[in-house]
Amino acid sequence: MPLQGFSWFLCCRQGFSLLGRDYGEKEEEESFELRSKDETTCNGRGPLEVTLSQPARTANGPSSLSEVPEEMRSLIIEKSKMGLEEDPEQVVKGWLYREVRGGWIRQRRHWFVLTHDSLDYYSSQEKNARRLGTLVLTSLCSVIWPDKQTYKETGYWSITVYGRKHCYRLYTKHFNEAVHWACAIQKVIDSKAPVETPTQLLIRDIEENKFNPEVVEQIYQHNPILKYTQSPLYAPLLPFPYGSLDHTYHNGKGYTTLRDEAVKVFNSLQQLEAARDPVPLIQGVLQTCLDLPLLRDEVYCQLVKQTSGTPTPNTPAHLRYWQLLTCMSCTFLPGTAVLKYLRFHLKRVQSLCPDTEMDNYASFISEALEKTRCRECVPSWEEIQVLMSRQEMLCMVHYPGPGSCQLPISSHTTADELVKKMLEQLGLRDSRNIFALFEQSAHRERPIGGSTIIADILTRFENLATREPESDTQWRLCFKLYCFLDTESIPSDNIEYTFLFEQCHEMMVRGQLPVSEEDLQALAALRLQSLIGDFSTHSPCPPLDELFPSHVVEARVLLALKNPQPPPATIPAPQALSNGCPQRFPNGLLTGALWSHTAAHKQKVEQDLRLRGRLKEEGAVVMGAIVERWKGLAGRSRQESMAAYLTIAREWSGFGCTLYEVDFYISSTGSFSQKLWLGVAAKSVSLYRQGEAEALESFPYGQICSYGVSDSNIFKITAGERDLLFETSKLTEIMQLMNAYFSAACQQQGQGDGTETEGSVCPTPTVLEVPSDLV
């Protein structure tokens, strides 16, 4: 736009010059909040005589628009006054009850008329009846349909219509009539053109003139709504639907309407300037944006406003807005229009304020916007602290054995990226096996999807620790072998060999290494030799459950207690107590019930004590046998002990597979079993009875036609003409692992000889459903 044409531009935008008013004038500010798009014709007037109006405050009283109903004054759209006889075509009319709130809630009967522009109600249905109220319908209005709960409580079917400042709660005794009104009102709302705020229009003007700095500066100069203010905000900068969040959002956190929440957020932003600790306020704003995604663009616009035209730039108070904007840019992306506006704002700040803290923040935010994906969690306290200073945070990653290392990560680092850093750190880049990150606690472990943002995982750990401060369960990140593609050619002096040994021992302790009890004791002794060295009475010995599968000891004890001893004959039977005592019959039922309950509880306590005693005795016997074997290993080195351990483990044909417990196994032939293991390995999928070494069935990947989630907890594999269905809680983990093995098989086959032949094509089964990102 040439500079000489700027006077024409100001003429077109004269309605916005009033936005430089004092924000304390609440009513006047809200009066100019909205304007309907595409409603003006070339002569500036629409079919309903739409005008841009500006209230003129006089010394003697309110503006000249005071005669117009408040609902109509709230919009820049103004419907011209007309009598009932001049109304446009009426859509629906009829008698309805309207809820009136005063000292108490009561209902009054009115004659309602729905037109193409408003919902009006009158004192009667006569032609010259007095109009008692008007609710102007725009694209931002909303309708709540009738519900059974209200009908049960009141005997009436109700509909609620939300407008700019009014809310009509209407009632009728007939369900069909309520639905008819709701449909008709919603149809009128849907027919309305989208409503735009002055901020939206100015953003569009800036976008159209971004290559003309003089015009852009004039826009900022003549529109204070785009610049920093210390005054409160009475209305949001962007349009939001009217009405409560109850019918559109989960309202468990006490949110009201989007419009109210937008105003509250701006108040929180202003509190940042004087806050001693800004982190709680920043987390609160981010949490609101996470819970209410429609507010994200609004918060971005508010932050752009508060970082534009600041009278005291580069002060600690003003930089709090930049720090929150930094956290926002690393957590959420705005919509396309606001994103363009934000990027223009950052470039403008960098050009106006070079070599300043604002310049540094603008540069950091610009880079973050290129990488940010929507986060699952609000950044943790630690992450916000490092973002405020534009730094990276350190992440502790553990690996099998006592090892761990700290690596720098950003708010955008994914699990795949951290795995690559760990491979480089530990010298495992040339390994043929596949590694992954796991969330790990004392009793649980689950793999992390490759595209998962690590900062979200750390935030989840922090939240768990905050909610359960007294819990002994601590979660951590662990780097482990994931796909066992080559377990034979790993050098014994390589750290990968230690990974294989440690993870094999984890499987043994969980009871997922089906070998004889003698072999289990031998493995436990080799574990002690690798950890401690030669036996010594002064060496601290780990507990049995870290050396030996506890279910083996429990099974042996339960088998011994399966047929308990009968009670001694001196104890009278319960029925003998009532013999010869007929006079106690009236209260015998209560007495018998109390006696039975007490006896049963006492018997259970005795059984538990006896079971714990037997478990302790049996555990001592097993530990003694392990120690005797340990003594016989004197002189063996750690490497020799690890090699001997893995030699025994490799005797199982399923060594290297990952076992998942499945509750059911159903095939198209009608066979049925319970509690099986589904073993996922490098070349096949196998089925095992729990504790048995031989596979019931094995299905090479070349025979699998499809696999995936068949139902909520059902995993389906189609091999040839057979359908195998498994009920399990590990659907996602099984899918991820099979996907990883198929992907590795295809990659290895494609790199076999560097040429494509018909026989080297990797069979790719149909994936029924992928529940999460691949590892």
Side-chain angles (χ1 to χ4, degrees), residues 359-603:
D359 181 16
N360 295 333
Y361 277 111
S363 176
F364 185 90
I365 293 169
S366 297
E367 294 178 7
L369 291 173
E370 300 294 331
K371 305 174 185 177
T372 297
R373 294 184 294 108
C374 186
R375 296 276 296 273
E376 296 179 2
C377 303
V378 168
S380 64
W381 184 91
E382 178 188 359
E383 184 181 356
I384 291 176
Q385 287 285 343
V386 298
L387 285 176
M388 289 171 63
S389 56
R390 306 186 305 277
Q391 296 177 355
E392 291 185 324
M393 55 183 169
L394 293 176
C395 174
M396 178 70 74
V397 181
H398 301 264
Y399 49 85
S404 64
C405 62
Q406 281 189 327
L407 295 174
I409 63 169
S410 69
S411 298
H412 320 288
T413 303
T414 63
D416 273 341
E417 294 169 348
L418 190 55
V419 166
K420 291 177 182 177
K421 288 185 178 182
M422 287 293 298
L423 292 173
E424 193 168 337
Q425 179 87 4
L426 299 176
L428 295 171
R429 295 185 62 182
D430 297 329
S431 173
R432 296 183 59 188
N433 295 305
I434 297 176
F435 295 80
L437 287 173
F438 291 76
E439 297 178 59
Q440 190 180 71
S441 68
H443 307 291
R444 295 182 60 190
E445 182 180 270
R446 51 178 176 257
I448 300 173
S451 61
T452 304
I453 296 175
I454 295 300
D456 279 339
I457 303 294
L458 299 180
T459 299
R460 191 155 61 238
F461 292 169
E462 182 181 280
N463 293 340
L464 287 172
T466 302
R467 287 198 298 265
E468 303 173 2
E470 299 179 358
S471 175
D472 295 333
T473 302
Q474 291 186 349
W475 288 88
R476 65 181 191 174
L477 282 177
C478 191
F479 174 78
K480 299 177 62 177
L481 277 165
Y482 184 57
C483 293
F484 298 84
L485 301 174
D486 179 16
T487 60
E488 300 294 335
S489 60
I490 302 175
S492 60
D493 59 346
N494 193 299
I495 191 172
E496 188 175 3
Y497 197 80
T498 304
F499 278 34
L500 184 64
F501 167 71
E502 294 288 346
Q503 291 184 228
C504 180
H505 182 68
E506 288 178 8
M507 289 183 61
M508 188 271 278
V509 171
R510 288 198 302 261
Q512 294 185 337
L513 190 64
V515 295
S516 65
E517 187 171 342
E518 289 186 0
D519 285 341
L520 291 176
Q521 292 181 6
L523 291 174
L526 289 167
R527 174 68 174 177
L528 286 172
Q529 185 69 17
S530 67
L531 284 176
I532 304 172
D534 293 346
F535 170 78
S536 170
T537 55
H538 303 290
S539 299
C541 192
L544 181 63
D545 58 3
E546 294 181 10
L547 300 171
F548 194 83
S550 57
H551 78 278
V552 175
V553 179
E554 293 172 1
R556 184 186 295 181
V557 171
L558 290 175
L559 183 63
L561 296 176
K562 191 173 183 180
N563 298 315
Q565 294 289 337
T570 55
I571 300 178
Q575 59 269 24
L577 297 175
S578 59
N579 292 339
C581 301
Q583 69 277 12
R584 297 180 59 189
F585 178 75
N587 59 355
L589 290 176
L590 179 59
T591 304
L594 291 175
W595 184 91
S596 299
H597 176 74
T598 304
H601 177 69
K602 184 177 180 181
Q603 184 178 9

Side-chain angles (χ1 to χ4, degrees), residues 552-755:
V552 175
V553 179
E554 293 172 1
R556 184 186 295 181
V557 171
L558 290 175
L559 183 63
L561 296 176
K562 191 173 183 180
N563 298 315
Q565 294 289 337
T570 55
I571 300 178
Q575 59 269 24
L577 297 175
S578 59
N579 292 339
C581 301
Q583 69 277 12
R584 297 180 59 189
F585 178 75
N587 59 355
L589 290 176
L590 179 59
T591 304
L594 291 175
W595 184 91
S596 299
H597 176 74
T598 304
H601 177 69
K602 184 177 180 181
Q603 184 178 9
K604 186 176 185 303
V605 170
E606 291 176 352
Q607 288 177 351
D608 290 343
L609 290 174
R610 188 161 61 248
L611 177 61
R612 280 196 287 269
R614 291 297 302 271
L615 283 173
K616 189 174 181 180
E617 293 173 4
E618 194 64 35
V621 171
V622 173
M623 193 66 188
I626 293 172
V627 170
E628 287 301 318
R629 289 177 177 270
W630 181 20
K631 294 177 181 178
L633 298 175
R636 289 203 182 189
S637 66
R638 172 178 168 79
Q639 295 295 333
E640 291 173 341
S641 301
M642 292 167 58
Y645 190 109
L646 291 175
T647 298
I648 297 175
R650 284 192 177 102
E651 293 178 0
W652 177 41
S653 60
F655 178 77
C657 76
T658 304
L659 297 176
Y660 298 96
E661 184 175 302
V662 291
D663 293 332
F664 300 97
Y665 159 58
I666 309 171
S667 72
S668 55
T669 59
S671 57
F672 173 85
S673 296
Q674 233 181 355
K675 289 193 178 300
L676 297 179
W677 279 336
L678 177 67
V680 182
K683 297 181 180 179
S684 63
V685 174
S686 305
L687 288 172
Y688 298 87
R689 284 196 177 93
Q690 294 189 13
E692 294 187 5
E694 294 298 323
L696 293 173
E697 289 187 89
S698 185
F699 306 95
Y701 287 135
Q703 298 178 7
I704 296 178
C705 304
S706 66
Y707 64 93
V709 179
S710 175
D711 204 348
S712 58
N713 287 326
I714 303 297
F715 188 78
K716 179 180 179 181
I717 296 178
T718 300
E721 297 181 354
R722 297 180 60 189
D723 290 333
L724 310 171
L725 304 177
F726 310 98
E727 184 173 350
T728 176
S729 60
K730 305 289 186 179
L731 294 173
T732 300
E733 296 179 25
I734 297 173
M735 281 284 293
Q736 287 181 344
L737 187 57
M738 289 187 66
N739 288 339
Y741 274 125
F742 269 108
S743 177
C746 292
Q747 187 176 3
Q748 289 181 0
Q749 215 167 35
Q751 295 175 354
D753 55 4
T755 60

Side-chain angles (χ1 to χ4, degrees), residues 125-199:
Q125 66 185 99
E126 301 297 328
K127 184 176 181 180
N128 296 322
R130 184 165 59 95
R131 184 168 58 191
L132 302 177
T134 295
L135 191 150
V136 177
L137 297 175
T138 70
S139 61
L140 300 181
C141 296
S142 60
V143 181
I144 298 182
W145 284 51
D147 63 283
K148 286 186 177 180
Q149 186 62 33
T150 304
Y151 180 75
K152 290 179 180 178
E153 294 174 356
T154 65
Y156 289 87
W157 295 99
S158 71
I159 62 172
T160 306
V161 186
Y162 287 100
R164 168 67 178 85
K165 290 200 173 183
H166 299 305
C167 170
Y168 288 177
R169 289 182 173 85
L170 310 177
Y171 298 86
T172 177
K173 290 187 177 181
H174 306 290
F175 175 74
N176 291 339
E177 186 177 5
V179 171
H180 181 63
W181 275 97
C183 288
I185 296 171
Q186 188 63 56
K187 187 175 181 180
V188 172
I189 293 172
D190 294 341
S191 68
K192 294 299 178 182
V195 175
E196 291 187 301
T197 63
T199 298

